[in-house]
Amino acid sequence: MNRFRILIVTIVTASLVGAVNAQAPIQLKQGDRIVFLGDSITAGGILPNGYISVIRKHLDDKASELKIECLGAGIPGNKVSGLQGRVDRVLSSKEPTVVVVFIGINDVWLGQSDFLTTGTTPELFEAGLRDVIGKCEKAGARVVLCTPTVIGELPGGDNKLDTQLDIYAGISRKVANDMKLTLCDLRKAFVDHLAKNNTTKATRGILTIDQVHLNPTGNRLVAETMLKSLGQ
């Protein structure tokens, strides 16, 4: 199947997933250990103002009786294939009861010149997500699947890679629906926020420092959106 046909099939598939039957938020339990699995955005989440730190503080303040742990497992540059290569090690070393999978930016970003060699085809992205999630569930972890966020902050679909990001977000929504997972739709949260708050049409600085990596406001938005998927 050539790349054009793959893209057309995926665009149609993504458009059919607009009304995902969202699963209920995960209900956190006593002693849960949440592992956040992703790329450099997740690696930055453990910094003082990072989204993992914000989530940890919220849970310590609002659900301290549950004694929940929040652990980062982000590697800069990871695509879904990177998660496939290390998910077994993460599961055995950290023993999570909940895994939040947040991937897709590099699959699109690194493939903008030739996604067949440096990025990830839609077909492989979907297969990779299913593989990672299947391993997490086999290990006994409940999974929250996130859609990718942004590569550029122009509202209205005016960023170079918005179409591709929407395709890959559609794949994540489809996988969440098929596998009956809780979906954390970060793509929608970011697009909606930028439509309301980026009146100057800035390319960065509203939610990111460089069009991709999060500033404090972006980290808070991710944390707030994830917390809803965690029943908070």
Side-chain angles (χ1 to χ4, degrees):
M1 182 180 292
N2 63 38
R3 79 174 71 183
F4 181 75
R5 186 178 174 192
I6 291 172
L7 278 172
I8 293 299
V9 169
T10 309
I11 290 169
V12 172
T13 299
S15 69
L16 294 174
V17 184
V20 170
N21 297 319
Q23 299 297 306
I26 281 179
Q27 296 303 306
L28 295 175
K29 302 175 183 177
Q30 184 80 30
D32 265 337
R33 180 180 292 121
I34 308 171
V35 166
F36 297 85
L37 185 62
D39 53 29
S40 58
I41 299 174
T42 297
I46 64 172
L47 297 174
N49 291 319
Y51 74 86
I52 297 172
S53 297
V54 175
I55 290 172
R56 183 185 293 119
K57 184 177 187 308
H58 172 92
L59 295 174
D60 287 346
D61 290 345
K62 304 297 184 181
S64 58
E65 72 283 358
L66 295 179
K67 300 187 184 305
I68 293 166
E69 293 183 74
C70 294
L71 305 174
I75 300 280
N78 260 192
K79 299 181 289 186
V80 72
S81 59
L83 300 193
Q84 288 177 271
R86 65 186 177 92
V87 65
D88 288 330
R89 296 193 300 275
V90 171
L91 293 169
S92 62
S93 64
K94 298 185 183 295
E95 298 183 337
T97 58
V98 176
V99 177
V100 178
V101 178
F102 178 11
I103 200 70
I105 289 295
N106 289 318
D107 298 271
V108 173
W109 195 16
L110 297 179
Q112 57 185 301
S113 59
D114 185 358
F115 72 85
L116 287 174
T117 56
T118 57
T120 306
T121 66
E123 183 179 53
L124 288 177
F125 185 67
E126 179 172 347
L129 287 179
R130 291 179 184 275
D131 182 39
V132 170
I133 292 161
K135 289 178 177 178
C136 292
E137 292 188 326
K138 186 176 180 180
R142 293 113 70 205
V143 176
V144 174
L145 179 59
C146 302
T147 53
T149 49
V150 293
I151 303 172
E153 297 192 52
L154 291 172
D158 287 340
N159 302 285
K160 177 182 177 182
L161 296 174
D162 276 347
T163 297
Q164 290 93 323
L165 275 173
D166 286 336
I167 290 169
Y168 283 64
I171 293 170
S172 295
R173 295 181 187 117
K174 177 179 182 294
V175 170
N177 190 50
D178 289 350
M179 299 185 75
K180 296 180 171 53
L181 306 174
T182 296
L183 176 73
C184 180
D185 203 337
L186 295 175
R187 176 75 179 153
K188 183 179 186 303
F190 271 56
V191 168
D192 290 350
H193 182 96
L194 292 169
K196 294 177 182 178
N197 295 283
N198 192 2
T199 56
T200 62
K201 296 190 175 181
T203 60
R204 62 185 177 182
I206 309 298
L207 295 170
T208 76
I209 59 174
D210 58 1
Q211 302 188 46
V212 171
H213 299 95
L214 307 177
N215 65 18
T217 303
N219 273 294
R220 284 196 300 274
L221 181 57
V222 168
E224 290 167 1
T225 310
M226 284 187 179
L227 281 165
K228 291 175 184 177
S229 297
L230 296 170
Q232 298 294 307

